[in-house]
Amino acid sequence: MRIGLFFWSLELGGVEHMMVELARALVERGHSVTLILARAARPDEYLPDPRIGIVRLGCATTPRTILKLAVHLSSLRYDLLYTAMPTTNIAAIAAISLARVPTKLVISERSNPVLEARHAPTWRYRAAFTLQPFVYPLADAIVAVSAGLADALAKSARLSRDTIRVIYNPAFCDDAGNKDRPALHPWLLDKDRPVILAAGRLMAQKDFATLIRAFALVRAQRPARLIILGEGPERPRLEALLDELGLESDVAMPGYRSDIRPFLAEADVFALTSIWEGFGNVLVEALGAGCSIVSTDCPDGPAEILADGRYGTLVAVGDEAGLCSALIRALDRPFDPQEQRQRARHFSVARSADAYETLFQHLVGAR
């Protein structure tokens, strides 16, 4: 099959990483795969497998992206186009309509639509959720990355739940030994006390402020350290909170790391404190490293990944005291590493690629 994967860019982020992983898995299966990117190249981006084609439309606005994508689709005639997130989903639907090509379209939803719309940074992004009920039915298939997200999308976009397929993200890749291992933080190289790890973009959605306050409660009861990997607009606020709570000597925020698996392998507990997700790729990475996990029971994804608490403790969103208790419990009674790793394989790249390949072949064969 000739497959196009359409997104805005390959900047460092969860959706972009999943697109690159899916593209690699599909090209390894003998398909012709092209990443179609709306934006121009950026300094910090994921580097796809060299066998994957890259087309950059070089657009700064959505209307121009739709027009250039339509022209591109008319000239190359893909068998199937796959997209992720509301804005690119809608742009792809419009472009295929303009191009009048028989290309099959699979759109995917990656985050809770109600909460994304409520916290949308711009009116344009908010408008995409308003359009979902009218344009999503025009796609040949709709995918959600968790069952909870599929339920939420069906309700918010007024879609029949039966029309939404659930395919988990290709989040676990058992090839850690083939990658260069980045330098670890000194606290993980020479541990004199347990280390709690968190990772994600420093933004309000991830609610690292609650994690820091909960860690202050942990520190009042026992020695421990906290490392938060990531960058984002919340850094000044979080640093001010560390100063306010007197935690600078026990909490480190060393910035973004492209591969956090070596950190996970040495950490004692991984903590996720998001207010909402769509899946929670980092939880699968933590499982794959055999790490004990504490996570908020937020919509959508963590409860599914952790099997309602079997593979990690679930706490209410924003519950500092509950989070503190769960962290201490995980430090004292770690989860079984082998069982954690086995659970991660349920969300492997191979299993996700199998599901997508089956769906794509069915749609293309039905033309």
Side-chain angles (χ1 to χ4, degrees), residues 36-49:
I36 307 168
L37 307 171
R39 308 294 189 235
R42 302 188 180 198
D44 295 320
E45 287 191 334
Y46 290 110
L47 297 176
D49 186 295

Side-chain angles (χ1 to χ4, degrees), residues 126-206:
R126 195 175 302 114
F129 298 96
T130 304
L131 292 172
Q132 284 178 333
F134 307 102
V135 298
Y136 272 26
L138 299 176
D140 294 289
I142 304 171
V143 171
V145 296
S146 68
L149 177 55
D151 295 341
L153 177 62
K155 184 176 181 179
S156 67
R158 302 192 294 277
L159 302 169
S160 170
R161 176 63 178 81
D162 294 339
T163 65
I164 305 172
R165 294 167 173 81
V166 175
I167 301 179
Y168 291 128
N169 276 341
F172 176 66
C173 184
D174 195 9
D175 66 348
N178 299 327
K179 303 247 183 183
D180 293 332
R181 296 176 70 88
L184 290 175
H185 193 279
W187 291 350
L188 293 171
L189 294 172
D190 185 20
K191 277 202 290 185
D192 60 355
R193 66 197 71 182
V195 176
I196 299 165
L197 181 70
R201 184 163 167 75
L202 306 184
M203 58 194 299
Q205 175 192 351
K206 304 301 182 182

Side-chain angles (χ1 to χ4, degrees), residues 12-33:
L12 304 177
V15 178
E16 295 83 353
H17 182 237
M18 292 304 103
M19 294 287 269
V20 168
E21 286 297 311
L22 179 59
R24 179 178 62 83
L26 290 171
V27 82
E28 286 177 349
R29 293 161 185 242
H31 301 291
S32 172
V33 181

Side-chain angles (χ1 to χ4, degrees), residues 2-280:
R2 172 175 277 187
I3 301 168
L5 306 184
F6 171 58
F7 202 59
W8 295 119
S9 73
L10 293 182
E11 66 177 314
L12 304 177
V15 178
E16 295 83 353
H17 182 237
M18 292 304 103
M19 294 287 269
V20 168
E21 286 297 311
L22 179 59
R24 179 178 62 83
L26 290 171
V27 82
E28 286 177 349
R29 293 161 185 242
H31 301 291
S32 172
V33 181
T34 300
L35 286 165
I36 307 168
L37 307 171
R39 308 294 189 235
R42 302 188 180 198
D44 295 320
E45 287 191 334
Y46 290 110
L47 297 176
D49 186 295
R51 295 169 292 179
I52 299 167
I54 298 179
V55 171
R56 297 185 185 273
L57 303 179
C59 301
T61 66
T62 300
R64 183 162 176 77
T65 297
I66 292 170
L67 292 174
K68 292 199 72 172
L69 179 59
V71 171
H72 178 69
L73 294 175
S74 296
S75 63
L76 262 73
R77 300 280 174 157
Y78 293 91
D79 294 311
L80 185 138
L81 184 68
Y82 174 77
T83 70
M85 300 294 286
T87 48
T88 45
N89 290 340
I90 292 170
I93 290 168
I96 284 182
S97 298
L98 283 174
R100 297 178 181 273
V101 292
T103 301
K104 296 295 183 179
L105 175 62
V106 178
I107 63 176
S108 67
E109 201 76 4
R110 302 290 172 141
S111 188
N112 185 282
V114 174
L115 292 169
E116 283 285 331
R118 184 180 303 164
H119 295 272
T122 66
W123 69 266
R124 290 182 179 85
Y125 189 47
R126 195 175 302 114
F129 298 96
T130 304
L131 292 172
Q132 284 178 333
F134 307 102
V135 298
Y136 272 26
L138 299 176
D140 294 289
I142 304 171
V143 171
V145 296
S146 68
L149 177 55
D151 295 341
L153 177 62
K155 184 176 181 179
S156 67
R158 302 192 294 277
L159 302 169
S160 170
R161 176 63 178 81
D162 294 339
T163 65
I164 305 172
R165 294 167 173 81
V166 175
I167 301 179
Y168 291 128
N169 276 341
F172 176 66
C173 184
D174 195 9
D175 66 348
N178 299 327
K179 303 247 183 183
D180 293 332
R181 296 176 70 88
L184 290 175
H185 193 279
W187 291 350
L188 293 171
L189 294 172
D190 185 20
K191 277 202 290 185
D192 60 355
R193 66 197 71 182
V195 176
I196 299 165
L197 181 70
R201 184 163 167 75
L202 306 184
M203 58 194 299
Q205 175 192 351
K206 304 301 182 182
D207 197 16
F208 288 122
T210 290
L211 175 58
I212 289 171
R213 293 190 184 96
F215 178 74
L217 299 177
V218 171
R219 277 288 292 108
Q221 300 180 49
R222 61 178 300 164
R225 282 174 168 150
L226 170 65
I227 298 174
I228 302 175
L229 301 176
E231 277 299 343
E234 286 278 293
R235 175 176 283 276
R237 177 171 170 260
L238 296 175
E239 288 176 339
L241 181 60
L242 293 177
D243 182 64
E244 175 188 333
L245 297 174
L247 293 174
E248 305 97 318
S249 62
D250 287 316
V251 179
M253 296 196 299
Y256 173 81
R257 296 294 185 273
S258 60
D259 186 1
I260 69 168
R261 288 174 296 183
F263 289 81
L264 288 164
E266 301 299 331
D268 295 277
V269 176
F270 180 80
L272 183 142
T273 52
S274 296
I275 300 170
W276 79 93
E277 289 284 346
F279 181 66

